[in-house]
Amino acid sequence: MLSVLLIKMGEEMKYLHTMVRVTDLDASLAFYRDALGLELVHRKDYEAGRFTLVYLAAPGDHDAQVELTHNWDPEVYTGGRNFGHIAYAVPDIYAACQRLMDHGVTILRPPRDGRMAFVRSPDQISIELLQDGDALPPAEPWASMGNTGSW
């Protein structure tokens, strides 16, 4: 009976979004939208609650969204590696990393293997980029780049 209930629940459930709190909305939009290439799906300011919600998604895939929550009153957020990371599949890992670098983003774990890279948002949220499909052949400068910091 329980397995039937779980299957039924699974049919009715849909992933909506991952929420991350951000301290500087403009810097976060420059990262997620401009550098990473996500599209703005929805934005709403809640004056009474003194916060803004911004929903972003990968182009063509608005089913899985990132919710940026910006509280207007300054707060200090302490991150923990227990959050893990947000991951995106990209059609060309090298082009994605170059785009991020062109926007001033440090590639913390370069795609030496043609498959995987890590960067961090302005609020230190770890973002994993994965090559969609098979790994690309190793290429410079990525193959020779070392890791920077932690991800």
Side-chain angles (χ1 to χ4, degrees):
M1 180 69 169
L2 180 59
S3 62
V4 173
L5 176 61
L6 292 174
I7 291 169
K8 184 66 175 166
M9 285 178 60
E11 291 173 353
E12 295 174 4
M13 294 176 66
K14 177 183 173 186
Y15 174 82
L16 296 177
H17 63 265
T18 297
M19 183 274 272
V20 293
R21 288 185 175 86
V22 300
T23 55
D24 183 331
L25 187 55
D26 291 333
S28 294
L29 285 171
F31 174 81
Y32 288 98
R33 182 192 57 210
D34 303 338
L36 196 55
L38 299 184
E39 294 177 343
L40 179 68
V41 175
H42 180 74
R43 175 185 176 145
K44 180 144 186 188
D45 296 319
Y46 293 88
E47 193 125 354
R50 302 190 44 76
F51 66 94
T52 299
L53 299 181
V54 176
Y55 293 88
L56 302 135
D61 184 13
H62 288 192
D63 288 338
Q65 299 178 8
V66 173
E67 172 193 324
L68 306 182
T69 297
H70 177 251
N71 293 309
W72 300 353
D73 299 319
E75 292 185 39
V76 176
Y77 303 117
T78 56
R81 288 190 55 80
N82 61 329
F83 171 77
H85 60 266
I86 299 170
Y88 292 98
V90 295
D92 183 329
I93 190 92
Y94 299 137
C97 287
Q98 187 60 57
R99 175 188 170 126
L100 286 157
M101 285 179 57
D102 291 348
H103 279 85
V105 176
T106 301
I107 308 300
L108 300 173
R109 194 281 190 190
R112 291 182 295 276
D113 55 3
R115 175 84 183 124
M116 177 179 61
F118 277 90
V119 297
R120 282 193 183 264
S121 76
D123 289 286
Q124 301 305 302
I125 301 299
S126 187
I127 309 291
E128 178 182 22
L129 303 173
L130 293 167
Q131 175 63 38
D132 193 17
D134 294 334
L136 299 180
E140 293 298 339
W142 315 107
S144 299
M145 290 177 80
N147 294 339
T148 302
S150 64
W151 56 89

